[in-house]
């Protein structure tokens, strides 16, 4: 018997029929005697829809109210999955972020998890109840709902796995593992049996959205065993316990796999891309000490992540151009 976290992404949760398929995968793991906590995303497209509502309501939206709106997608799917599991004869209940609670810092829309009180959760799992947890959401110290940034349900799953000392965190998605590049774009991409935490961290941070970057960093820090695998499988699929997906492993484990001949030593693990970056160019910035700080300090204060920065040679004496990138979603606030 093992203690397992199973996370299902948006495509896996898109509609009641798919939720029934997910419920069956969960039921099978529980039937093997495992203690199971499930972390779910909102239905595919739902978070985008909710974000658009916020933008329509107020382009310079207050991140705290944005969180109230966008966290609702996962509340719906967690309740629906608990209901579906119950209809299959399983004991199941949902645990919202504030109920556990999943405590985060108050940086709305990009909160970081500080701690999860897992006592009640573990007690209920030990009593044979399947726990269903909405991903992406947490609770600030002021009691207000927070969200963890886009793709944050992966991080919720890894954080729950660390808090309950799970044997494994299985991330079920719409591809059957981590590939050398996005298999939806490059048909020749190859599935990897294992990838190290460091390699996955690098790939995720430059755009391989199969795992949220922060989830990989957290898994590495907490030593959580993560597997990426598909929820779109038939009844006769190899059980997750036999590692049919891609395992995220430590450097030592990877060396062992290479020595056993299970993996080839690779010089390039993968290629990633990111289309959600916006480029901002400020022209004619005074070329003197402190000028650049005047640009980046307010961005940092607004919790806007600046990724690449280039300072160009100015056209006129004493002036320079500064170019930087921010997430597309933060562009309006960065401009303001
Ligand atoms: P979920 O909704 O389950 O969280 P995501 O859409 O966030 O799923 O992540 C899965 C997607 O990541 C895949 O459909 C695929 O297009 C994309 N992807 C990008 N790079 C890779 C990669 N190297 N390996 C596998 N999938 C990748
Ligand atoms: N629903 C959120 C998003 O679309 C979180 C997630 O799915 O991981 O970003
Ligand atoms: Mg995702």
């Amino acid at each position: 018997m093992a203690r397992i976290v199973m996370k299902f992404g948006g495509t896996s949760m898109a509609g009641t029929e798919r939720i029934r398929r997910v419920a069956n995968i969960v039921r099978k793991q529980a039937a093997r005697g495992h203690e199971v906590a499930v972390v779910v995303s909102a239905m595919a497209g739902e978070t985008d829809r909710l974000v658009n509502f916020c933008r329509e309501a107020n382009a310079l939206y207050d991140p705290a109210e944005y969180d109230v709106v966008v966290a609702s997608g996962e509340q719906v799917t967690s309740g629906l999955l608990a209901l579906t599991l119950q209809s299959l004869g399983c004991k199941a209940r949902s645990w919202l972020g504030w109920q556990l609670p999943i405590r985060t810092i108050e940086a709305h829309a990009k909160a970081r998890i500080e701690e999860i009180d897992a006592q009640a959760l573990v007690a209920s799992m030990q009593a044979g109840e399947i726990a269903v947890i909405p991903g992406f959401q947490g609770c600030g110290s002021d009691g207000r709902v927070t969200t963890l940034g886009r793709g944050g349900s992966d991080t919720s799953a890894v954080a729950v796995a660390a808090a309950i000392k799970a044997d494994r965190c299985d991330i079920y998605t719409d591809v059957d593992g981590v590939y050398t590049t996005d298999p939806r774009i490059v048909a020749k991409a190859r599935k990897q049996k294992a990838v190290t935490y460091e390699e996955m961290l690098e790939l995720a941070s430059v755009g391989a959205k199969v795992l949220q970057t922060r989830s990989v960093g957290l898994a590495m820090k907490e030593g959580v065993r993560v597997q990426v695998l598909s929820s779109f499988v038939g009844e006769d699929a190899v059980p997750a316990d036999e590692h049919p997906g891609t395992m995220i492993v430590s450097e030592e484990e990877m060396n062992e796999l290479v020595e056993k001949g299970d993996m080839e030593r690779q010089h390039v693990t993968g290629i990633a891309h990111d289309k959600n970056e916006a480029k901002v160019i400020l022209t004619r910035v005074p070329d003197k000490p402190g000028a650049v700080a005047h640009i980046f300090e307010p961005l940092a204060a607004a919790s806007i992540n600046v990724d690449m920065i280039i300072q160009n040679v100015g056209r006129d004496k004493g002036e320079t151009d500064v170019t930087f990138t921010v997430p597309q979603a933060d562009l309006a606030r960065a401009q303001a």
Side-chain angles (χ1 to χ4, degrees):
M1 189 206 78
R3 182 175 290 173
I4 292 170
V5 172
M6 306 171 75
K7 181 258 170 179
F8 293 89
T11 331
S12 310
M13 297 299 290
T16 46
E17 218 165 282
R18 290 196 181 170
I19 292 178
R20 188 159 293 273
R21 179 204 291 266
V22 164
N24 268 310
I25 298 174
V26 173
R27 183 179 55 89
K28 275 197 199 156
Q29 285 284 287
R32 295 184 127 224
H34 299 322
E35 285 173 16
V36 179
V38 191
V39 174
V40 294
S41 285
M43 294 189 196
E46 179 63 6
T47 311
D48 287 340
R49 195 175 76 98
L50 297 169
V51 170
N52 277 333
F53 283 147
C54 294
R55 289 206 184 115
E56 280 168 25
N58 183 344
L60 293 179
Y61 49 75
D62 167 13
E65 296 305 340
Y66 161 95
D67 277 352
V68 173
V69 177
V70 300
S72 64
E74 273 74 8
Q75 176 157 338
V76 171
T77 47
S78 54
L80 287 175
L81 180 59
L83 286 172
T84 313
L85 283 164
Q86 288 167 359
S87 80
L88 296 177
C90 304
K91 278 207 297 179
R93 71 154 280 190
S94 63
W95 294 84
L96 300 184
W98 59 269
Q99 288 170 329
L100 280 170
I102 297 179
R103 290 233 174 272
T104 72
I105 57 164
E106 275 144 38
H108 285 282
K110 52 188 74 162
R112 187 165 31 80
I113 296 176
E114 285 199 310
E115 68 165 334
I116 298 180
D117 187 347
Q119 242 181 332
L121 183 66
V122 168
S124 117
M125 289 168 71
Q126 282 171 335
E129 196 167 49
I130 297 169
V132 186
I133 301 161
F136 189 46
Q137 62 171 252
C139 168
S141 56
D142 57 1
R144 298 190 74 176
V145 65
T146 54
T147 64
L148 308 179
R150 298 304 306 270
S153 298
D154 295 331
T155 302
S156 308
V158 171
V160 168
I164 66 173
K165 300 192 171 44
D167 296 283
R168 213 174 59 232
C169 179
D170 287 336
I171 308 275
Y172 287 83
T173 181
D174 54 4
V175 287
D176 60 355
V178 178
Y179 280 67
T180 45
T181 192
D182 189 336
R184 298 198 180 283
I185 298 175
V186 182
K188 275 198 302 190
R190 277 180 293 112
K191 182 178 152 190
Q192 324 241 36
K193 192 180 180 120
V195 176
T196 67
Y197 290 114
E198 286 85 356
E199 290 164 342
M200 194 63 236
L201 195 58
E202 188 75 23
L203 276 173
S205 68
V206 290
K209 68 165 188 161
V210 62
L211 287 177
Q212 197 202 31
T213 311
R214 211 181 253 173
S215 72
V216 187
L218 189 62
M220 181 157 92
K221 180 168 152 267
E222 300 287 341
V224 175
R225 280 182 79 68
V226 175
Q227 172 174 214
V228 176
L229 69 172
S230 176
S231 73
F232 293 83
V233 290
E235 285 289 316
D236 53 350
V238 178
D241 302 347
E242 288 170 31
H243 305 169
T246 299
M247 293 300 298
I248 315 297
V249 299
S250 65
E251 206 70 63
E252 295 76 48
E253 260 183 284
M254 182 59 94
N255 289 338
E256 282 167 26
L257 288 171
V258 171
E259 269 162 36
K260 276 202 296 181
D262 283 353
M263 282 290 297
E264 269 177 51
R265 171 96 45 211
Q266 301 186 77
H267 297 294
V268 176
T269 310
I271 298 174
H273 76 291
D274 188 353
K275 290 201 287 193
N276 294 316
E277 294 271 316
K279 182 167 82 172
V280 180
I281 306 174
L282 295 176
T283 56
R284 310 197 60 184
V285 177
D287 192 8
K288 59 176 194 211
V292 170
H294 276 304
I295 300 169
F296 293 115
E297 274 166 8
L299 292 170
S303 296
I304 295 172
N305 269 336
V306 174
D307 190 3
M308 283 168 269
I309 305 175
I310 301 167
Q311 187 165 350
N312 307 322
V313 179
R315 277 165 294 208
D316 296 319
K317 247 191 146 151
E319 287 179 345
T320 181
D321 293 351
V322 176
T323 304
F324 57 91
T325 61
V326 295
Q328 191 90 55
D330 285 338
L331 181 60
R333 291 197 309 120
Q335 279 174 316

